[in-house]
Amino acid sequence: MSNAPALRANLVCTSFNQINSKGLFVGDDPLDYSVPALLLQLSLISVFTRIIQSLLKPLGQPLIVSQILGGVILGPSIIGKNGELSSKVFPSKARSVLDTVSVFGFMLFIFQIGVKIDLSIVLKSSRKALAVGILGFFVPFGLASFTAFLLEKFLSLDQELITLLSRVVILQSMTAYPGIACFLDELKILNSEIGRLASSSSIICDICHWTILSLKYALELAKAKSVRVTLGSLVSGALYILVIAFGIRPAILWAIRQTPEGKPVKNVYVFVVLVLLLWCGFTGEAIGLSSIVACFLFGLVIPDGPPLGSALVERLDCFVSVLLMPPFFTICGLQMNVFSIVRLRNVGVLQLVVLVAFIGKIMGTILPLLFWRVPLRDAFSLALIMNSKGIMELAFLNDFKKNKDMSEENYTIMLISVVVITGVISPLVKVLYDPSRRYIAYKRRTIMHSRENDELRILACIHSQENVRAVISLLQVSNPTKESHVNLVVLHLTKLTGRASSVLVAHRKRDKPSLNPTQSERIFNAFEKFGQQNNDLIMVQCYKGISPYATMHNDVCSLALEKRTTLIIVPFHKHWIFEKRIETSYAYRHLNKNVLEKAPCSIGILIVRGSTKKSRYAITVPSLYRVVVLFFGGADDREALSYAERMSGHPSVQMTLIRFTRSSSSENIVGGTERSKVLDTQILSEFNNRFLRSEQVSYQEAEVNRGADVLEVIKSLGNFYDLVMVGRRHIDSPILLQLTKRNNEDGELGVIGELLAASDIESETSVLVMQQQTRLWGLHDPEESTHLRRISL
């Protein structure tokens, strides 16, 4: 397609064999040769881009702005204004090589985007996304077209500007998915509510854009060329699509089926796909489809995600994003010359159309969202995101300039508008939209504040099959009854690889069980079997979340809010394997910290320190399950005690409460407000009254004077108990400060939790570190709430 984003090199006369220089001492000028000139250009581009990025990143500027400005500085606007320096560093013959490299990098980048796209998003798009995508294209398109018509009617514009306006209208109406995906990833809102809506809406908007562009191309081709040429172009394009869809895709699906889950894809499959990629690019150029479009279509037929999609993206990503793509953005800046702007009338006309399209896209985005009662602040944030510009807009601008459809002056005007719009939108969205704002609950969602017969809603986060057994063991003793069911939501968290959009979907069983179930299916099957064996006292719902580690907490918190969860259970970031060997995941640690900070309910971090030789899934109820609660005082300890009290109703549970006090008094060893101390006394008094004559529950007091005494009590627990429960946060006191100095690691477990998880504590006992809900609408201090549930005596 002639309108497809492509870069065509100008013809440059140069001598043959001027590739490698023999050196200055022989008399050669290295910059007269292709290889040293290209190396110098790439190094300058990398250095300038990195410096500008480090300066602009604190201001919230995306990478694309830094890369374009790097080209502007190197180009004729600043450094390149010195003609002699510009002709030496970026001469025409050397620029042709750089242009070729940038086009190749752009082709690989677009192929990656095609691989990452999940086409099912279009089929699964909500009516909200469809409305935003369609109106987000046609409202600005209609308003900008009408504005261009009025300008053409009432102003005497030159023919080049009149022709350009129609292209600018389409360019400003589009919202390209590749740019939106990169933009959302940089803002770290890819798997937020607005991020998912922006992804789906941009794909719908892209479909509208390419439909209009294809119709326009077909009409122009029919007018300019013969019927034979038109039919040949359309038939060859259709034939190409049929070949990759019904010839290449089945072969790729066969290769994927030959790769066992969890195993890396064979190198020969990756090699064949890359060769096919080059062949598709060549075929596209041969039939006039453009290598960019041909490679994008080829990427679409490759399933996103593991094994093949992820392998391709991981192997190409560093090479493309670090080495090949910066030259593409920099060339945009190199071709821009601010001194070429001499006609202010052109500036006014083009910017007026851009402004009208900008306002039109805001209207087209906000109106349907207000109909669906989306908060105005979130709707405006999405409207700004849909207005952001990226790599596709730059590709079209470069294509217009290379085809002589746009003068250097108009190109500079449009490029400035791209930089300004994107540069302003990015920090604005960061200020306006905070996904965690919606996670603030409007009521207490804690175990302590639940009534006795309330349903216990638990969200269990699972990273791998190794987490299943420990979570099931905990759920077994959570005492589900006919009066108080356990409503369990299982969320399998997976890292986003080989995809452009995050996913959070409910699990659907296959019609026929698979002989080779996926890891998610094995996890979900175990929990569903567990629910069935508990006579429907535990209701199980299963979800799968695929997102980047940096924003994975959004999946956890949004699902907890939607399901009105009381308790979130997350695995500890360390995993004990065997013989004291420990695996640590800092990504999980970051996830846990974010969940602790932003969750709309209480959280329990589950630490499993046991032998992996045990059965992976513990379905049978243990004959005796010993639980000990370490009570120092505070909201988190009260939450741990409340959960333990619920467990104590299970016939197999034997519970012990150890309260730590000073030797000189019966008070807790930690400080706190008077309100907190009253609540501690109240819950302990209710506990003693309820279990005074119980044989399953015992109460002990541990008198301590220093941190070493606390540590001694913890070590004395040994392996006698199956589960240790303790609160995460405790008000600092001299005794706890001594323990803080001993533990240098600033983890997510708190002072006592970190001691229980320390490698020098020789124990195989599981630990559950509890944190009571901290985010509640209108309540800054959780201790202020006076609503405390009554325990039936």
Side-chain angles (χ1 to χ4, degrees):
M1 294 182 185
S2 60
N3 287 331
L7 300 175
R8 295 176 176 82
N10 295 321
L11 184 63
V12 177
C13 297
T14 183
S15 303
F16 287 108
N17 298 322
Q18 283 193 299
I19 299 175
N20 296 99
S21 169
K22 295 181 180 178
L24 292 169
F25 299 105
V26 182
D28 286 349
D29 184 351
L31 297 180
D32 289 337
Y33 295 82
S34 301
V35 171
L38 179 63
L39 295 176
L40 177 62
Q41 290 166 356
L42 290 177
S43 61
L44 286 175
I45 288 170
S46 301
V47 170
F48 274 86
T49 300
R50 184 60 62 180
I51 291 174
I52 296 172
Q53 183 187 3
S54 63
L55 294 174
L56 296 183
K57 192 173 182 180
L59 302 177
Q61 294 302 309
L63 181 60
I64 185 175
V65 172
S66 305
Q67 291 171 328
I68 294 174
L69 291 180
V72 172
I73 292 175
L74 292 170
S77 299
I78 302 180
I79 294 178
K81 192 176 181 183
N82 184 327
E84 184 178 348
L85 180 63
S86 178
S87 62
K88 271 294 183 183
V89 180
F90 292 100
S92 298
K93 60 181 179 180
R95 277 279 297 280
S96 64
V97 178
L98 188 63
D99 285 349
T100 305
V101 171
S102 70
V103 173
F104 182 64
F106 181 60
M107 184 187 79
L108 293 179
F109 175 80
I110 291 300
F111 167 72
Q112 281 184 282
I113 292 295
V115 172
K116 290 179 179 181
I117 290 179
D118 181 7
L119 288 177
S120 64
I121 290 179
V122 180
L123 301 176
K124 298 174 183 176
S125 295
S126 63
R127 288 183 295 173
K128 191 189 303 181
L130 284 170
V132 171
I134 294 172
L135 292 178
F137 176 81
F138 284 106
V139 171
F141 181 78
L143 291 176
S145 297
F146 182 68
T147 303
F149 170 76
L150 293 178
L151 291 172
E152 181 184 347
K153 190 79 173 173
F154 295 103
L155 296 178
S156 55
L157 305 178
D158 57 74
Q159 188 58 42
E160 180 202 339
L161 190 56
I162 292 174
T163 305
L164 179 61
L165 283 180
S166 64
R167 300 180 185 275
V168 171
V169 167
I170 297 179
L171 185 67
Q172 294 303 123
S173 302
M174 70 182 287
T175 299
Y177 176 76
I180 293 296
C182 296
F183 190 71
L184 295 173
D185 188 42
E186 284 199 55
L187 291 178
K188 291 184 171 53
I189 56 174
L190 194 61
N191 63 331
S192 65
E193 183 182 20
I194 293 300
R196 288 196 176 93
L197 185 56
S199 296
S200 302
S201 302
S202 63
I203 291 180
I204 304 298
C205 194
D206 248 353
I207 292 174
C208 297
H209 167 254
W210 283 102
T211 301
I212 296 294
L213 207 61
S214 299
L215 292 173
K216 184 179 178 183
Y217 168 71
L219 290 173
E220 290 178 351
L221 192 65
K223 289 179 181 179
K225 305 292 183 181
S226 65
V227 177
R228 180 184 174 186
V229 172
T230 303
L231 288 176
S233 177
L234 295 177
V235 169
S236 61
L239 186 61
Y240 171 81
I241 294 174
L242 290 174
V243 168
I244 62 173
F246 298 102
I248 296 178
R249 181 174 170 82
I252 289 174
L253 293 177
W254 174 86
I256 291 174
R257 287 195 296 270
Q258 304 308 305
T259 305
E261 188 188 12
K263 299 292 183 181
V265 68
K266 292 181 180 179
N267 288 330
V268 65
Y269 297 153
V270 177
F271 169 76
V272 170
V273 170
L274 293 179
V275 171
L276 286 174
L277 169 65
L278 300 177
W279 175 83
C280 287
F282 169 77
T283 303
E285 292 290 330
I287 64 176
L289 189 61
S290 164
S291 61
I292 307 299
V293 176
C295 291
F296 176 72
L297 293 174
F298 175 56
L300 286 178
V301 305
I302 300 175
D304 60 318
L308 186 57
S310 299
L312 289 169
V313 171
E314 287 175 358
R315 298 190 187 194
L316 290 175
D317 190 50
C318 183
F319 177 65
V320 173
S321 61
V322 176
L323 185 62
L324 296 183
M325 282 310 296
F328 174 83
F329 294 106
T330 306
I331 282 177
C332 298
L334 285 171
Q335 296 180 130
M336 169 182 166
N337 184 1
V338 294
F339 300 102
S340 66
I341 302 176
V342 293
R343 291 176 292 183
L344 295 180
R345 188 180 188 180
N346 283 11
V347 177
V349 168
L350 290 174
Q351 294 305 318
L352 178 60
V353 175
V354 170
L355 177 62
V356 170
F358 184 90
I359 295 173
K361 193 170 285 289
I362 287 180
M363 292 171 55
T365 302
I366 287 182
L367 289 177
L369 293 180
L370 293 181
F371 174 78
W372 269 285
R373 298 182 180 180
V374 174
L376 181 60
R377 187 166 181 164
D378 290 355
F380 186 62
S381 299
L382 178 60
L384 290 175
I385 292 171
M386 295 290 284
N387 260 308
S388 63
K389 305 302 175 186
I391 187 170
M392 294 302 297
E393 287 82 1
L394 296 179
F396 276 103
L397 288 176
N398 279 333
D399 189 55
F400 296 158
K401 189 172 187 299
K402 293 294 182 181
N403 291 335
K404 307 297 183 182
D405 295 327
M406 178 183 284
S407 65
E408 184 179 15
E409 179 185 18
N410 293 333
Y411 175 84
T412 301
I413 294 170
M414 292 304 301
L415 193 61
I416 289 174
S417 72
V418 169
V419 174
V420 171
I421 288 173
T422 306
V424 170
I425 285 176
S426 182
L428 266 179
V429 173
K430 285 186 175 180
V431 171
L432 289 173
Y433 184 63
D434 178 11
S436 65
R437 188 184 295 114
R438 65 182 292 264
Y439 304 145
I440 299 178
Y442 288 86
K443 62 175 291 186
R444 278 292 194 180
R445 291 182 180 170
T446 72
I447 300 175
M448 190 182 86
H449 294 88
S450 300
R451 290 186 291 269
E452 184 178 12
N453 293 328
D454 280 354
E455 182 181 56
L456 179 60
R457 297 174 176 265
I458 295 178
L459 170 61
C461 300
I462 305 295
H463 296 300
S464 64
Q465 290 174 265
E466 282 68 29
N467 304 139
V468 174
R469 176 184 169 271
V471 173
I472 288 181
S473 296
L474 181 64
L475 294 170
Q476 283 176 326
V477 294
S478 293
N479 194 31
T481 63
K482 291 182 179 180
E483 295 76 22
S484 179
H485 291 73
V486 171
N487 191 324
L488 173 66
V489 177
V490 180
L491 176 59
H492 181 207
L493 295 166
T494 307
K495 180 185 177 184
L496 180 73
T497 56
R499 300 174 188 265
S501 299
S502 63
V503 176
L504 180 60
V505 293
H507 170 64
R508 292 183 180 179
K509 283 187 176 182
R510 303 191 194 191
D511 295 333
K512 295 182 179 180
S514 173
L515 296 176
N516 297 306
T518 63
Q519 183 184 39
S520 294
E521 288 175 326
R522 289 193 289 269
I523 290 171
F524 297 152
N525 290 341
F527 279 101
E528 287 169 354
K529 182 180 178 182
F530 169 64
Q532 292 168 4
Q533 292 189 350
N534 280 272
N535 300 320
D536 296 325
L537 297 179
I538 297 180
M539 294 172 287
V540 180
Q541 303 174 67
C542 299
Y543 286 80
K544 183 172 183 178
I546 304 175
S547 56
Y549 280 135
T551 57
M552 197 173 277
H553 61 278
N554 285 329
D555 287 346
V556 179
C557 296
S558 61
L559 193 58
L561 189 70
E562 178 187 340
K563 298 298 180 181
R564 293 176 294 170
T565 299
T566 306
L567 174 65
I568 298 173
I569 297 175
V570 292
F572 188 43
H573 72 269
K574 291 181 180 178
H575 177 62
W576 280 258
I577 303 177
F578 59 88
E579 295 179 355
K580 297 185 180 180
R581 183 183 167 194
I582 301 174
E583 277 189 354
T584 300
S585 172
Y586 292 100
Y588 296 163
R589 177 180 178 181
H590 178 72
L591 166 66
N592 291 353
K593 285 190 172 183
N594 280 327
V595 171
L596 287 165
E597 180 183 346
K598 300 174 181 179
C601 59
S602 296
I603 306 109
I605 300 179
L606 183 59
I607 308 165
V608 181
R609 308 180 61 164
S611 173
T612 56
K613 295 179 180 180
K614 296 179 182 178
S615 173
R616 176 172 285 172
Y617 306 135
I619 302 297
T620 58
V621 179
S623 57
L624 182 62
Y625 193 87
R626 297 183 179 90
V627 178
V628 60
V629 180
L630 307 182
F631 192 93
F632 294 85
D636 294 350
D637 278 2
R638 294 195 294 273
E639 187 72 3
L641 181 56
S642 299
Y643 191 18
E645 287 178 9
R646 180 185 176 96
M647 292 180 181
S648 65
H650 194 286
S652 299
V653 171
Q654 187 178 80
M655 191 185 84
T656 301
L657 170 63
I658 300 179
R659 183 193 180 193
F660 288 82
T661 62
R662 294 187 179 93
S663 299
S664 57
S665 68
S666 61
E667 293 184 358
N668 299 335
I669 67 170
V670 298
T673 63
E674 289 302 319
R675 175 64 183 163
S676 179
K677 293 177 181 178
V678 169
L679 292 175
D680 287 344
T681 302
Q682 184 177 350
I683 197 171
L684 288 171
S685 175
E686 290 177 347
F687 174 85
N688 286 325
N689 290 336
R690 181 180 183 185
F691 300 109
L692 184 62
R693 296 179 179 84
S694 174
E695 296 180 357
Q696 288 184 254
V697 179
S698 62
Y699 172 82
Q700 301 175 16
E701 286 192 358
E703 296 182 349
V704 294
N705 291 317
R706 52 201 179 99
D709 297 337
V710 176
L711 186 60
E712 194 65 33
V713 173
I714 291 175
K715 287 184 175 180
S716 68
L717 300 177
N719 292 315
F720 181 76
Y721 296 98
D722 297 288
L723 178 68
V724 178
M725 301 178 68
V726 69
R728 174 176 174 263
R729 298 162 303 163
H730 301 97
I731 303 298
D732 288 338
S733 68
I735 293 178
L736 292 186
L737 284 175
Q738 296 173 22
L739 297 173
T740 304
K741 293 177 182 178
R742 177 188 182 278
N743 181 29
N744 295 323
E745 185 177 2
D746 181 22
E748 70 265 34
L749 300 179
V751 177
I752 305 301
E754 293 294 344
L755 282 177
L756 291 166
S759 57
D760 58 347
I761 301 294
E762 296 182 0
S763 172
E764 293 188 355
T765 302
S766 297
V767 179
L768 184 66
V769 179
M770 298 287 293
Q771 174 180 288
Q772 194 177 80
Q773 176 190 13
T774 60
R775 293 168 65 85
L776 186 65
W777 185 264
L779 191 64
H780 301 288
D781 182 3
E783 309 272 277
E784 292 176 2
S785 178
T786 58
H787 171 63
L788 183 65
R789 64 141 168 87
R790 300 288 92 193
I791 301 174
S792 300
L793 301 179

